[in-house]
Amino acid sequence: MIDLGLKRISQLLQNQHRFPWDAIHGSVCAYISSVFHEAGIPCGRFTSPHLVDRWDCITLDGATVDKATFLAAEATVKATDAELGIGASNFEILTATAFEIFSRAKVDVAVVEVGMGGRLDSTNVFTSPLVTVITKIAMDHMGFLGSTLEEIAQEKAGIMKKGAPSVVDGSNTESVLSVLRQKATNIGAGKLVVSKPKILGNGSCEIETPAFGCQQFTSFLAGNHQPSNLSCAVNALSLARERFPAITPAAVYKGVGLTRWPGRLETVNVSSIPDGHKSILMDGAHNPEAADALAEYVNLHLRVLGKETIAWVLAISKGKDVEVMLRSLLKHGDHVFAVAFGPVDGMPWVMPTNPLEIVELAKAVVGDQGGTADAGSDVREALSMACRRVGEGNVVVAGSL
């Protein structure tokens, strides 16, 4: 279960939140860590959730930490938890394990993504982070964070710290930005940068920062929301350059171009599956805002040249607003193959929505010309059916990381 709070993680870390490395805390970790790697600065990255194995959310210098290194650090953390009788949650154990790995590897900086919210998230243990980053705030985890964007913003703003500079996404609503500005003022945070890219008409964007001047980027992660994310990352790197002068404009440009983010608008080869196409699109769209972003991409890039129909393989976590997500993703005539994902390593509280529920809600959107099927827990068969139903490139797997 999810049990927010900082008492247990503080006991587990036993260091009064002092680490032998600097931290950048918040979002857009992929861009930032890629640039640090390109600049030759030893860097760790911790994101959540993992995709397959519980250690694949931890990287050292761009590479996933190996299983043996992870298990050795995890054993140390679990021994501390047992010895002190802390009763730490799975995520707290994972967070402490990542930090232990970074310390053992002697990284110079760790780029740490917030797990949920901010104020009470287990990662919120840095008293003097190098920079904090808050991207576009969405309606998610309302049962824990609040029922309005402003309430959620108040929780997200909890990662801001006295004296530490912050970067926030300027595409947030003015009411959200007001909450963030007020929080920064109240705690005496360092410089607050409201980040906004200049969108150019050729699929590129322009970002101006004090450290790097005006830079034009033509190669970055897919999705219309990515220029805003990239702008936050580049502004954070601009602030971090005072501590790490090796972060040059050239390193920023190359590191951004080399950034990869598995499970987010990722093209995957499935030719080994019976009836499989050469490639499909996979995206972990897991809430209404993420579904909107995926739908926008699909409508622009896949529903073209007369190939309007999409075959969706959908699995959605229990507790999400399934109906809202489906109405965003689906169009009349689409095909939906609903599946249930299996047990999630290290996250037993994450459960799938019954595929039959997804099917019933999808029928109202796709209509008589579309099709729906309950594939149970057989993802391979769901993919095969989807590939048989539509042409190359128009199969999308989505709904949950």
Side-chain angles (χ1 to χ4, degrees):
M1 62 175 291
I2 297 173
D3 186 8
L4 298 177
L6 300 178
K7 181 180 178 180
R8 292 181 302 275
I9 189 69
S10 296
Q11 292 176 307
L12 197 57
L13 293 172
Q14 297 187 74
N15 61 359
Q16 289 76 51
H17 316 311
R18 292 191 293 268
F19 301 95
W21 32 265
D22 287 304
I24 294 181
H25 191 208
S27 303
V28 294
C29 297
Y31 287 125
I32 295 172
S33 59
S34 181
V35 170
F36 270 104
H37 180 58
E38 185 59 34
I41 300 166
C43 175
R45 186 181 78 195
F46 176 50
T47 57
S48 62
H50 61 277
L51 294 182
V52 180
D53 301 305
R54 64 184 186 279
W55 55 87
D56 68 29
C57 58
I58 303 169
T59 69
L60 292 172
D61 295 325
T64 300
V65 68
D66 64 83
K67 181 178 180 180
T69 297
F70 173 83
L71 291 178
E74 184 186 53
T76 298
V77 171
K78 286 185 172 179
T80 300
D81 180 56
E83 180 184 348
L84 300 179
I86 297 169
S89 69
N90 289 333
F91 186 67
E92 289 162 346
I93 294 288
L94 181 62
T95 300
T97 299
F99 295 174
E100 177 71 13
I101 288 170
F102 298 154
S103 297
R104 292 182 181 189
K106 295 181 169 59
V107 301
D108 288 345
V109 64
V111 187
V112 178
E113 182 181 52
V114 174
M116 182 193 294
R119 182 176 66 91
L120 296 176
D121 185 75
S122 297
T123 64
N124 193 27
V125 293
F126 307 111
T127 54
S128 300
L130 196 61
V131 189
T132 60
V133 185
I134 299 174
T135 52
K136 185 69 175 287
I137 291 175
M139 295 295 292
D140 198 18
H141 301 299
M142 285 88 79
F144 296 93
L145 305 181
S147 57
T148 68
L149 287 176
E150 293 74 25
E151 289 175 351
I152 295 172
Q154 192 68 247
E155 292 296 314
K156 297 273 188 180
I159 68 170
M160 293 178 171
K161 297 295 186 298
K162 182 177 181 179
S166 296
V167 177
V168 301
D169 187 340
S171 68
N172 279 295
T173 65
E174 189 53 45
S175 61
V176 164
L177 291 175
S178 178
V179 169
L180 300 178
R181 289 190 183 101
Q182 189 61 54
K183 178 67 173 182
T185 299
N186 290 347
I187 66 168
K191 183 178 181 180
L192 179 65
V193 177
V194 179
S195 170
K196 287 186 179 181
K198 181 179 180 181
I199 308 299
L200 305 178
N202 56 358
S204 62
C205 69
E206 205 170 73
I207 299 168
E208 186 166 1
T209 60
F212 311 126
C214 187
Q215 288 184 288
Q216 184 174 327
F217 296 90
T218 57
S219 178
F220 44 88
L221 297 175
N224 286 351
H225 58 295
Q226 284 301 333
S228 291
N229 285 349
L230 177 57
S231 182
C232 286
V234 174
N235 274 279
L237 288 161
S238 176
L239 292 166
R241 193 187 184 198
E242 183 176 342
R243 171 72 175 83
F244 295 102
I247 306 173
T248 63
V252 171
Y253 187 83
K254 188 172 182 181
V256 167
L258 292 174
T259 300
R260 299 292 179 267
W261 198 227
R264 282 80 166 179
L265 292 176
E266 180 183 10
T267 300
V268 180
N269 188 309
V270 293
S271 57
S272 63
I273 293 176
D275 303 306
H277 295 167
K278 182 178 179 181
S279 65
I280 62 169
L281 182 69
M282 182 168 67
D283 188 82
H286 64 289
N287 60 30
E289 285 75 16
D292 287 343
L294 173 58
E296 185 177 35
Y297 182 87
V298 168
N299 294 341
L300 183 63
H301 295 282
L302 300 188
R303 296 188 190 274
V304 293
L305 302 177
K307 295 181 179 180
E308 289 290 320
T309 301
I310 303 294
W312 300 87
V313 177
L314 297 177
I316 299 174
S317 297
K318 187 176 291 185
K320 300 294 184 178
D321 198 330
V322 178
E323 184 173 8
V324 170
M325 292 173 65
L326 294 182
R327 291 194 177 279
S328 177
L329 294 172
L330 308 180
K331 284 194 173 183
H332 192 77
D334 281 355
H335 301 277
V336 175
F337 302 92
V339 293
F341 52 77
V344 182
D345 184 21
M347 301 175 71
W349 62 88
V350 179
M351 304 291 289
T353 296
N354 189 323
L356 185 59
E357 180 183 340
I358 297 174
V359 164
E360 291 303 315
L361 291 170
K363 286 178 180 178
V365 186
V366 301
D368 295 337
Q369 293 183 4
T372 59
D374 176 355
S377 59
D378 195 339
V379 178
R380 183 177 291 269
E381 176 58 22
L383 277 171
S384 294
M385 290 190 292
C387 289
R388 289 196 296 268
R389 190 60 59 93
V390 297
E392 179 72 35
N394 273 35
V395 175
V396 182
V397 179
S400 174
L401 285 165

